[in-house]
Amino acid sequence: MELLRKWLGHPEDIYNLLRFKMGGYRAVMPRMDTDSLGCGLRTCYRYLNQTSRSFAAVIQALDGELRHAVCIFYLVLRALDTVEDDMSIPLDVKVPMLHEFHSYLYQPEWKYMESKEKDRQVLEDFPTISMEFRNLSKVYQDVISDICHKMGVGMAEFLEKKVDSQREWDKYCHYVAGLVGIGLSRLFSASELEDSIVGQDTDLANSMGLFLQKTNIIRDYLEDQMEGREFWPREVWSRYAKKLSDLAKPENIDVAVQCLNELITNALHHVPDVLTYLSRLKNQSVFNFCAIPQVMAIATLAACYNNQQVFRGVVKIRKGQAVTLMMDATNIKAVKAIMYQYVEEIYQKIPSTDPSSNKTQQVIASIRAVSLPGSPMASRHHYSPIYLSCAMLLAALSWQYLSTLSKATEEYVQAGEN
C-alpha cells in the first residue's frame, strides 16, 4: 500500500506510467529490426542488451549507421572498462593492456580469456566486436580508436591514485565520462546528422559527460564506500571530516550534508554548458539520446541536495517521475523548463547556514539566465481534473499490475547508468 500512497500523491506519475506502458515509450525508443543484420552485428547487439539494458534502448533508437557506430563504441569501452575493473588482473599486466587496448581493435584474433568480471564475454569474444569495428567507416573507426587510447591511458593513471583536488576530480571524470561525451559528439558529426561544431566543441561535450559522472559519484557515496571505492575529492571532504568514511557516521550527518551540498553546487556549474550543447542538436534521435540522461541527472541532484539519506541508503527518483522526464525531454524548450524546475527545487532547500549557500545561489542564478520557464513545459504537471481523477482511479485498481513493469524498463527509467 505504500506504493499506492506514493502514486496517489503524484497522480501525474500513474498517468504517465500507463501512457508509457501502453506505447508512449516508442516515441523515444522505437523498436529496431535486428533480423536484417548480419550475424556479427546481431551478436554485438545481444552483448549490448546483456551488458546495458539502459543504454541499449536509446542506442538502438538512433538513426541510420550512427546506431551501429555507437553500439560498437559502447562495447569497446565496456571491454576496456572490464579490464580496468578486474581486480584479478595483476597491475604489471593490466597497465600495459590499458595503454595498448586501442591497438587490439586492429588485431583480428586478440581476446582475453582470464577475466573474472560479469561482462567478460565482451573480452572473450572481442574478435566479433573488433571485426564489426573494422567494418565501420574509417571516420567512425578513427574516433573510437582515439577515444579508446586516451581513456586507457587515463584509467591507468588513476589505478593507484586517489582523487585529491577538484582539478583532479574534473580530470578523472574527463577520462571516464568526458571522453565518452567527446567521442559521441564526434560520431554525431561524422554521421552528418549533426553539424561539425557539435564534434569540434570539446569543452561542451566534456561538460555533458562531467555532469552525468559527478551526479553518479555524488549519489553513489554509500555504495562506493561499501565497495571500498572513493571518488569524492579530498580537497572538499577534508574540510568536513578526517576520513571520507566518517561522513557516514550519524554524529557527522550535519557536516556530511554540507559537504554533499558543496559537491552538488560544483556539478551544477555544468548545466549552462549542457543547455548550450543540446540547443545545437538537430536530429530528434540524437537529441533524445543526449537529453534524457541529463534531465535524469538534474532530477537526481535535486533529490540528493541537502538530503541525509545519501549517507544512509539509496536516493532514487520515482519511476513515474523518470517516465515523465523521458517523455517530456524531446525539445530544447522543454529541457530548459525541466532544468529550471529542478534548480528552483534546489533553491528552495538551500539552508541559510550552509557554507556553500552563496555559491549555490550564484550558480542557480546563472542557470536561470539560460533556462526560460513557460512554453511547452510550464503546465507539465497541471493535468485536467478528469485526467487526474482517472489516474487516481487507475492507481487504485491497477497498482499491483504496474509494480510488475518489465525489469528492463525499470532499470532504464531509474537511470541506473549515466
Side-chain angles (χ1 to χ4, degrees):
M1 292 305 292
E2 178 61 25
L3 180 62
L4 177 59
R5 282 194 293 272
K6 287 182 180 179
W7 279 338
L8 290 175
H10 299 276
E12 72 280 1
D13 284 3
I14 187 68
Y15 169 68
N16 282 312
L17 274 168
L18 284 169
R19 190 159 61 103
F20 186 82
K21 187 66 176 176
M22 294 172 68
Y25 63 95
R26 288 298 171 205
V28 289
M29 294 186 292
R31 189 185 303 277
M32 187 186 81
D33 177 20
T34 57
D35 293 340
S36 60
L37 302 179
C39 180
L41 264 181
R42 280 202 305 275
T43 299
C44 286
Y45 278 104
R46 186 173 79 251
Y47 291 155
L48 176 66
N49 281 284
Q50 289 172 350
T51 57
S52 174
R53 278 185 287 268
S54 304
F55 281 126
V58 285
I59 288 174
Q60 290 172 101
L62 289 168
D63 290 339
E65 62 182 16
L66 176 62
R67 177 189 307 137
H68 303 326
V70 174
C71 173
I72 301 304
F73 184 43
Y74 176 87
L75 291 177
V76 168
L77 297 187
R78 172 58 69 184
L80 177 68
D81 190 56
T82 301
V83 171
E84 194 264 346
D85 284 343
D86 195 333
M87 302 305 292
S88 70
I89 304 176
L91 283 180
D92 61 344
V93 175
K94 182 184 291 189
V95 171
M97 280 182 71
L98 293 174
H99 278 278
E100 298 300 322
F101 201 87
H102 67 290
S103 68
Y104 304 151
L105 293 167
Y106 299 98
Q107 299 177 30
E109 303 303 320
W110 186 90
K111 58 186 174 183
Y112 186 74
M113 304 299 292
E114 323 248 336
S115 177
K116 309 301 182 188
E117 290 291 296
K118 62 181 177 64
D119 293 331
R120 59 185 176 272
Q121 72 266 30
V122 295
L123 291 172
E124 293 173 350
D125 192 19
F126 197 75
T128 296
I129 297 170
S130 67
M131 176 185 69
E132 292 303 328
F133 163 82
R134 293 187 299 276
N135 285 339
L136 295 172
S137 299
K138 186 176 184 301
V139 67
Y140 296 132
Q141 291 184 37
D142 290 346
V143 172
I144 295 171
S145 176
D146 180 52
I147 296 299
C148 182
H149 186 196
K150 290 173 179 174
M151 187 175 289
V153 171
M155 285 177 168
E157 178 182 336
F158 278 91
L159 274 179
E160 296 185 290
K161 171 177 158 183
K162 289 189 176 180
V163 179
D164 284 327
S165 67
Q166 292 186 65
R167 184 175 181 178
E168 283 186 332
W169 197 36
D170 280 358
K171 188 176 184 182
Y172 171 76
C173 291
H174 164 74
Y175 281 140
V176 300
L179 282 172
V180 178
I182 291 169
L184 287 169
S185 300
R186 289 170 60 188
L187 293 177
F188 298 157
S189 294
S191 71
E192 299 185 353
L193 293 176
E194 299 295 346
D195 292 336
S196 59
I197 186 62
V198 172
Q200 292 168 356
D201 196 333
T202 56
D203 287 341
L204 292 188
N206 189 56
S207 278
M208 293 282 285
L210 263 60
F211 185 58
L212 299 181
Q213 186 65 22
K214 288 181 178 181
T215 297
N216 288 346
I217 288 172
I218 291 167
R219 179 198 60 197
D220 293 341
Y221 165 83
L222 195 60
E223 178 185 331
D224 286 337
Q225 281 293 303
M226 293 172 67
E227 297 291 332
R229 300 186 296 258
E230 293 190 353
F231 298 114
W232 285 25
R234 177 186 295 271
E235 180 184 346
V236 175
W237 63 255
S238 63
R239 293 198 287 269
Y240 301 92
K242 290 184 179 179
K243 296 185 296 183
L244 182 56
S245 59
D246 289 345
L247 295 179
K249 296 178 179 178
E251 63 269 25
N252 295 329
I253 193 62
D254 290 339
V255 292
V257 169
Q258 290 174 357
C259 181
L260 168 70
N261 291 348
E262 182 172 346
L263 290 181
I264 290 176
T265 300
N266 176 295
L268 289 174
H269 280 90
H270 298 292
V271 173
D273 278 356
V274 167
L275 293 175
T276 301
Y277 180 97
L278 293 174
S279 70
R280 290 176 173 172
L281 301 179
K282 301 184 301 183
N283 179 270
Q284 188 65 58
S285 72
V286 172
F287 186 91
N288 294 347
F289 178 89
C290 295
I292 290 172
Q294 302 294 334
V295 296
M296 297 288 190
I298 191 66
T300 299
L301 289 183
C304 289
Y305 185 82
N306 210 48
N307 189 349
Q308 298 180 0
Q309 185 63 20
V310 172
F311 303 95
R312 296 171 176 166
V314 181
V315 176
K316 293 180 180 179
I317 60 177
R318 303 181 309 276
K319 287 194 287 291
Q321 180 185 6
V323 163
T324 298
L325 291 172
M326 287 175 59
M327 297 181 72
D328 284 347
T330 56
N331 61 79
I332 188 60
K333 289 183 179 179
V335 171
K336 285 183 175 181
I338 292 170
M339 293 289 189
Y340 185 92
Q341 172 193 334
Y342 284 109
V343 297
E344 286 301 306
E345 185 177 312
I346 292 172
Y347 183 83
Q348 295 302 320
K349 294 193 289 187
I350 299 174
S352 59
T353 57
D354 190 273
S356 302
S357 61
N358 288 337
K359 290 182 179 179
T360 310
Q361 291 169 356
Q362 289 170 8
V363 70
I364 286 177
S366 70
I367 296 171
R368 283 171 176 160
V370 294
S371 57
L372 302 173
S375 296
M377 298 294 293
S379 59
R380 56 193 298 266
H381 293 310
H382 294 216
Y383 296 97
S384 68
I386 189 168
Y387 275 133
L388 294 184
S389 298
C390 289
M392 293 174 73
L393 177 61
L394 285 166
L397 295 174
S398 58
W399 66 273
Q400 188 170 10
Y401 163 73
L402 286 170
S403 69
T404 60
L405 286 171
S406 69
K407 184 178 180 181
T409 300
E410 286 188 16
E411 288 189 4
Y412 184 79
V413 301
Q414 286 171 359
E417 292 179 287
N418 318 53

